[in-house]
Amino acid sequence: RKEVEQDPGPFNVPEGATVAFNCTYSNSASQSFFWYRQDCRKEPKLLMSVYSSGNEDGRFTAQLNRASQYISLLIRDSKLSDSATYLCVVNLNYGGATNKLIFGTGTLLAVQP
Amino acid sequence: DTAVSQTPKYLVTQMGNDKSIKCEQNLGHDTMYWYKQDSKKFLKIMFSYNNKELIINETVPNRFSPKSPDKAHLNLHINSLELGDSAVYFCASSHRAGGPTTDTQYFGPGTRLTVL
């Protein structure tokens, strides 16, 4: 079983749609959680951290369910510029100076005009 | 100013050759990383250095040798290149590696390695 699992998509949605991505992780010791965005042939960039209470950043809402080991990202009012691959990321901390980010394989979003 | 830079951006080489990829960050971060992203787009950590000290070494063939001359640089040398080494290699840095949370990792633009 992969440590972080995501539906690879693609999700093809029209502009203005609401789309949700889900992610599950296998290691209950995971301590912090993120969504990164990766445009085609570019580097990943942090989109937002995910907090236990849920958090929102403009059109983006992230949720975490530690009991179910489940993370979600909701994008409202999709824009063409949202087209990218969304990577679910968890952090495993081994104590001291050792953190390790584990990346999911990503979910591809294509927003259509 | 580029925060995390890598050179070269593209690298095409023959099997069996030895090549190096360089990475520099000007963010004043303590920790640097090398990741490999394969053809299936799976991004996996290879190495992590904190203040020039190796702290993560995933199961990577010993043909791959990272070197950190100072905390702003982390280079990756690859000996005896194989077809399966073809991938995009990303360097990243973060402010600190320890603690209960991880500071944001900033990625370089990637080096697309093709082994023929």
Side-chain angles (χ1 to χ4, degrees), chain A residues 1 23-28 33 64-71:
Chain A
R1 184 184 171 188
C23 165
T24 57
Y25 60 95
S26 60
N27 193 327
S28 58
F33 310 88
L64 167 65
N65 183 324
R66 283 188 186 267
S68 303
Q69 295 179 198
Y70 171 93
I71 306 162

Side-chain angles (χ1 to χ4, degrees), chain A residues 7-61:
Chain A
D7 180 345
F11 283 56
N12 294 301
V13 302
E15 270 187 290
T18 295
V19 60
F21 304 138
N22 302 319
C23 165
T24 57
Y25 60 95
S26 60
N27 193 327
S28 58
S30 300
Q31 297 193 324
S32 45
F33 310 88
F34 311 89
W35 284 100
Y36 274 69
R37 171 193 168 132
Q38 186 172 22
D39 292 290
C40 186
R41 300 179 82 85
K42 297 284 190 184
E43 70 273 23
K45 291 183 181 176
L46 179 68
L47 178 67
M48 58 197 301
S49 300
V50 187
Y51 303 117
S52 296
S53 53
N55 49 297
E56 192 173 301
D57 182 1
R59 298 180 294 109
F60 299 83
T61 301

Side-chain angles (χ1 to χ4, degrees), chain B residues 17-115:
Chain B
N17 284 349
D18 304 339
K19 290 292 177 188
S20 291
I21 308 172
K22 295 187 175 182
C23 178
E24 177 180 1
Q25 53 95 3
N26 62 7
L27 297 166
H29 287 166
D30 296 321
T31 309
M32 296 185 72
Y33 312 81
W34 277 110
Y35 288 86
K36 178 180 179 180
Q37 188 168 43
D38 60 25
S39 57
K40 293 191 168 75
K41 308 296 185 191
F42 182 51
L43 190 65
K44 188 166 167 39
I45 190 165
M46 300 171 69
F47 301 103
S48 173
Y49 271 72
N50 187 59
N51 275 323
K52 302 194 297 173
E53 182 188 344
L54 179 66
I55 55 172
I56 292 176
N57 183 348
E58 292 294 289
T59 312
V60 178
N62 57 15
R63 298 182 294 105
F64 291 78
S65 51
K67 283 196 172 45
S68 182
D70 55 64
K71 74 174 193 177
H73 295 84
L74 180 61
N75 304 324
L76 183 66
H77 188 76
I78 316 171
N79 288 328
S80 303
L81 278 154
E82 300 177 357
L83 293 176
D85 298 332
S86 296
V88 182
Y89 292 84
F90 287 101
C91 177
S93 73
S94 66
H95 178 58
R96 63 193 172 110
T101 61
T102 303
D103 288 336
T104 301
Q105 289 192 20
Y106 295 85
F107 283 77
T111 296
R112 189 169 295 271
L113 171 66
T114 303
V115 182

